[in-house]
Amino acid sequence: MSFTMFKSTFKISKMDCPSEETLIRMKLEGLSMIKSLVFDIENRKLTVFHSEESSEIENHLKELNLGSQLQETIVVQADEFKDNSSVQSKLLWTVLIINFAFFIIEITTGFISKSMGLVADSLDMLADALVYGLSLWAVGSTVFRKKKVAKLSGYFQLALALIGLIEVIRRFISFEAAPDFKTMIIVSILALIANSVCLYLLQKSKSEEAHMKATMIFTSNDIIINTGVIAAGVLVLLTQSKYPDLIIGAIVFLIVVRGAFRILKLGK
């Protein structure tokens, strides 16, 4: 037996990246009448399925100053949409746990093997875990609390990345032995396999929602970084030099800095 549901379509003129999607989700999550949100960032549209008519949704969106405009509200049957939020949450939890586990593995083996490439890659894993964790934050939390967590996470990540860049510079100008290329290659291959599994699971979900597509992009970038660290390990083997590892480390640390600014944007 189906029941009546309302579907409102909004044009959000300033919604052009997953950061705006996260802000909107944080703003609307306290409204109990909302049953599902469907984002189309490419066309800057938001579809809201809700159980009762209310101007609160429109008012909340306007408070974000993202150029929100209600296009239409129509009556639909509840079985016209499928809420995949629980399935998506399980997938995001899986990706988060894998990323955090490899953050621990890579940062530990990175220090042991003296590889800045592994240390930098571990921070990139941590950065992704923080992004996924923020998107899975408990529904009952306030917007202020979420923004505070986003800021703290962003500053923490930025501080770690800057410390890493300083350490790379120090190793460039001082005498340092070449890192253990075997550890670099083996651990990076394992991380590559883990990220490939994550990407496979995400693609298998066939989700068209923006935050899931963004997750796929993050994971694809991780695979590229893993490949870069493997290549650096091979170059360390061939050249017996520390420089390939330091170069890839510097590049990945800069990627982590960019990610930190992305998280800080969510906290504004």
Side-chain angles (χ1 to χ4, degrees):
M1 177 177 168
S2 62
F3 55 91
T4 302
M5 183 78 66
F6 296 93
K7 182 175 79 170
S8 295
T9 304
F10 294 88
K11 182 75 173 181
I12 315 289
S13 61
K14 297 180 182 178
M15 182 177 70
D16 56 9
C17 72
S19 295
E20 280 77 38
E21 179 191 343
T22 303
L23 287 174
I24 291 170
R25 287 183 181 276
M26 289 166 62
K27 186 70 175 178
L28 297 181
E29 70 173 8
L31 302 181
S32 59
M33 80 280 291
I34 294 178
K35 303 304 177 184
S36 180
L37 299 174
V38 180
F39 289 84
D40 181 357
I41 290 183
E42 185 177 356
N43 295 306
R44 304 189 181 192
K45 286 187 178 181
L46 166 65
T47 302
V48 183
F49 290 91
H50 46 107
S51 58
E52 58 187 70
E53 286 191 281
S54 173
S55 60
E56 282 189 87
I57 299 172
E58 185 176 5
N59 293 337
H60 275 56
L61 288 173
K62 285 184 176 179
E63 288 173 6
L64 290 173
N65 295 318
L66 294 176
S68 170
Q69 184 176 3
L70 176 64
Q71 293 189 318
E72 65 172 359
T73 298
I74 61 175
V75 177
V76 296
Q77 298 301 312
D79 55 9
E80 286 190 31
F81 81 96
K82 183 179 181 181
D83 187 3
N84 291 316
S85 58
S86 62
V87 176
Q88 292 177 358
S89 293
K90 288 179 181 178
L91 276 173
L92 288 173
W93 270 115
T94 300
V95 175
L96 185 154
I97 291 170
I98 291 174
N99 273 267
F100 189 76
F102 268 88
F103 157 67
I104 299 296
I105 292 170
E106 286 194 304
I107 198 165
T108 302
T109 56
F111 280 119
I112 292 173
S113 65
K114 299 182 179 179
S115 168
M116 294 309 295
L118 284 179
V119 173
D121 193 25
S122 75
L123 293 186
D124 184 61
M125 289 284 200
L126 176 63
D128 289 344
L130 288 173
V131 171
Y132 305 147
L134 287 171
S135 66
L136 288 166
W137 191 257
V139 173
S141 299
T142 63
V143 173
F144 173 78
R145 194 173 180 183
K146 286 186 176 182
K147 287 184 176 181
K148 187 175 181 180
V149 171
K151 282 185 178 180
L152 290 174
S153 299
Y155 284 127
F156 174 69
Q157 183 180 318
L158 184 61
L160 289 177
L162 291 177
I163 291 172
L165 283 169
I166 292 171
E167 178 63 12
V168 167
I169 294 171
R170 187 192 71 79
R171 294 193 183 196
F172 254 110
I173 61 180
S174 64
F175 175 78
E176 293 283 340
D180 181 357
F181 65 86
K182 290 181 181 178
T183 302
M184 287 180 66
I185 295 172
I186 292 172
V187 175
S188 294
I189 288 175
L190 292 175
L192 177 63
I193 293 171
N195 279 316
S196 297
V197 170
C198 290
L199 186 60
Y200 169 75
L201 292 173
L202 291 166
Q203 289 177 337
K204 190 178 178 182
S205 72
K206 297 180 180 179
S207 174
E208 293 298 318
E209 290 198 51
H211 68 291
M212 295 300 287
K213 287 185 175 180
T215 304
M216 293 181 202
I217 292 171
F218 297 154
T219 306
S220 298
N221 290 340
D222 287 342
I223 289 174
I224 294 171
I225 291 172
N226 296 148
T227 305
V229 178
I230 293 170
V234 173
L235 288 173
V236 169
L237 167 63
L238 296 176
T239 64
Q240 293 298 305
S241 168
K242 64 182 180 181
Y243 296 112
D245 174 61
L246 295 178
I247 291 170
I248 192 66
I251 292 171
V252 178
F253 278 130
L254 290 173
I255 292 172
V256 174
V257 168
R258 185 185 64 180
F261 282 114
R262 181 180 65 229
I263 295 174
L264 286 172
K265 186 178 180 181
L266 299 180
K268 290 183 179 179

